[in-house]
Each structure stands twice: as structure tokens, then as C-alpha cells.
Amino acid sequence: LGEVPSVDELAIFADWSNGATFRTRRGTGRGTKMVQNLTVTEPALKWARAVVASDIAWKAALTGAKRGTKVEIVRGNRFDTVPKNAKTDRPISIEPSLNIYLQKACGLLMKQRLKRWGVNLKSQDRNRNMAKELKFATIDLSSASDTMSSQLIQQLLPLDWWLLLDDLRSHETLLPDGVWHRNEKFSSMGNGFTFELESLVFFALASATLESCGFDTTCSVYGDDIIVPAEAFAEVSATLTMAGFTINRDKSFGEGPFRESCGGHYYNGHDVTPFYF
């Protein structure tokens, strides 16, 4: 990961998405998000203040908007769902606006630094190409981000990185019935760095297992789509299970002629991906 980002780096890489925030609807414009309905958790407040203070134009806009926009401190994110497929919904959490703004900065920085180690999170091509070769096993996890525990992240990350990410994440989630739930998972889908963080964790666990067991260390990750040498399927699966994750046995393949990764289906190296509505 390298050095933890400075306030200036966070300000450069931070960004708004088109998604909803704790107090705004999906599709709200960036300009509106910068000066209206600003929300943040208490631990992230000091980072938000520092980033806003480093941007003269934004600071002036906040001061001038309605005689000074007030920032609302909230306990965490709020629970929601989005369609996963025709049958089920996927649980997500909608973050406070300033939290997600800073989380996206950390996600982009992690994405850059992972690329130095051959992990390109801007493309799924490497995973799909490797899945065509039967010498590799494809591993898929069930509810990967929802089972990434805070204690695991604390043990794996450098202390300064963990302190930053722990400040920027939401420690609680507001449920539809109005009850606040304390999270033991580190971050959910909807957090601006969850995808990059889980990719980092799975790459580290897989690489360390391959190296310590004497296997070929060639592997690839894209979120929870993991590819390792087929001969190491059992060992890597055991490591992931020990770390608290659940192997999706219906979508993981270490032997036989079939492999699946990043939406690509391959039989003896031939693309047999079905047509989807």
C-alpha cells in the first residue's frame, strides 16, 4: 500500500458519485452535494474539515450558501437494497456524503497501488483469460464484503492505513425500522473503498498462502473473483475460510473442465457464457 495518503492527496483523489447519500437522492448533482445536506460521521469529521479547508473555492461556497452551510453529524450509513437479479435483491448501505467523498479517494489510491503488483481493477480481462486455462482454479465467495470483519482488517493493514479507513467507514447502520445496528463487518457495498479493499485482502491472503506452501505464486483477483493455481485450490480455500469467508461451492471450480470468473464461463478453454436477459 505504501505511505498513507496526506490530506492533499485525499483532496485530489476524492470525488462525488451519482449515487444517493444519507440525505440526498440518487442523481443529485455534484454542485448540490457540495453545499446542501452535507452529512458525516464523527470520526470522519476531522478529515472532512481538513479537505474542505484545503479547497478555497469549496470553503467559500459553503460559507456563502444560505449564510453558511451546516454539516450534520450522523451515526453511520443507512440500509437499502438494489436488484441483484430477477429473484433477489442485494443489500447495500448508503453513506454520509462527506464519508463517501473521502472513501472514494482511498479507493482510487488503493487501485493505483495494487496495479503496481499486477492487480488491475479497471479490467476483468486478466481473470477471464486465466479462467480459460484448466491449470488455474476459480474461487468465488458468498457475501464477501458482508463477512469482512473489522478485526481481520485491523490485523492485516498497516496501522496508519487502518486508522484512516476506520475513521472514514460507518460503524453503524440505520435499519428500515429506525433501529441503529452496530457493524462488526468493516465496510459494506456502497462504501467508496470496499471493492478495492476486498481485492487487496484476497490478493494478500492468496499470495501469502501460495508463497508459504511453495506453489507457483501466479494469481489474480477482481473483488471476490479469485484465481489461483488449481493445485493450490484446497490450501487457498482453507486460508479464506480461516479468515472468516465462505467459499461458494456452486461457483468455485478447482477440478474438471469448467471454470467461471468475472461473468465468463469456460468449458475446456472454450467460452460457453450463456445469453442473459
Side-chain angles (χ1 to χ4, degrees):
L1 278 177
E3 293 184 1
V4 72
S6 63
V7 170
D8 288 340
E9 284 183 297
L10 289 176
I12 291 170
F13 286 93
D15 197 9
W16 302 100
S17 70
N18 293 323
T21 68
F22 195 89
R23 294 289 187 211
T24 63
R25 296 180 178 180
R26 180 175 178 82
T28 302
R30 296 183 179 197
T32 301
K33 285 183 177 180
M34 290 183 75
V35 295
Q36 292 182 17
N37 299 315
L38 288 170
T39 49
V40 67
T41 58
E42 184 78 47
L45 181 60
K46 62 179 181 289
W47 296 100
R49 281 176 171 164
V51 169
V52 171
S54 71
D55 188 324
I56 298 174
W58 191 7
K59 187 177 180 180
L62 286 176
T63 303
K66 296 181 180 180
R67 296 182 179 179
T69 297
K70 293 183 179 180
V71 176
E72 179 188 1
I73 297 176
V74 294
R75 290 172 61 175
N77 54 32
R78 59 181 174 88
F79 178 86
D80 203 351
T81 59
V82 293
K84 181 178 181 181
N85 53 43
K87 296 180 180 179
T88 62
D89 289 338
R90 183 193 302 277
I92 63 167
S93 294
I94 299 175
E95 296 289 325
S97 59
L98 291 173
N99 286 64
I100 184 69
Y101 182 72
L102 296 169
Q103 289 164 4
K104 284 178 70 66
C106 293
L108 286 170
L109 282 163
M110 283 192 279
K111 188 176 292 184
Q112 278 192 358
R113 296 178 185 187
L114 275 168
K115 194 172 182 180
R116 299 175 186 174
W117 297 90
V119 179
N120 183 6
L121 297 182
K122 292 184 177 181
S123 172
Q124 300 178 350
D125 290 345
R126 186 165 190 253
N127 268 48
R128 289 173 177 166
N129 289 332
M130 290 175 67
K132 296 177 183 178
E133 301 185 45
L134 295 180
K135 66 179 182 179
F136 293 112
T138 57
I139 301 175
D140 184 81
L141 302 176
S142 298
S143 302
S145 61
D146 290 331
T147 49
M148 192 163 58
S149 74
S150 298
Q151 288 295 313
L152 176 69
I153 303 305
Q154 185 176 1
Q155 290 184 44
L156 292 181
L157 260 62
L159 179 60
D160 51 1
W161 269 95
W162 179 78
L163 290 171
L164 170 63
L165 298 185
D166 191 56
D167 278 347
L168 299 185
R169 75 184 184 97
S170 287
H171 292 245
E172 295 182 82
T173 297
L174 179 62
L175 301 180
D177 60 4
V179 174
W180 283 95
H181 172 76
R182 180 80 179 179
N183 297 317
E184 292 301 330
K185 65 181 175 184
F186 192 76
S187 63
S188 56
M189 297 307 296
N191 178 300
F193 58 67
T194 290
F195 174 69
E196 292 83 3
L197 179 61
E198 69 178 9
S199 299
L200 169 69
V201 168
F202 299 140
F203 179 65
L205 292 174
S207 297
T209 302
L210 295 174
E211 184 177 340
S212 63
C213 294
F215 293 113
D216 175 9
T217 56
T218 303
C219 65
S220 184
V221 298
Y222 188 89
D224 68 338
D225 279 279
I226 305 163
I227 298 184
V228 297
E231 59 183 358
F233 177 80
E235 285 80 358
V236 174
S237 296
T239 297
L240 292 167
T241 301
M242 181 187 69
F245 301 103
T246 302
I247 308 297
N248 186 340
R249 298 292 174 181
D250 293 331
K251 296 179 67 177
S252 298
F253 303 93
E255 56 186 14
F258 186 79
R259 300 288 187 269
E260 177 191 3
S261 186
C262 292
H265 298 218
Y266 306 96
Y267 188 90
N268 279 330
H270 298 285
D271 191 338
V272 293
T273 306
F275 178 79
Y276 289 101
F277 285 103

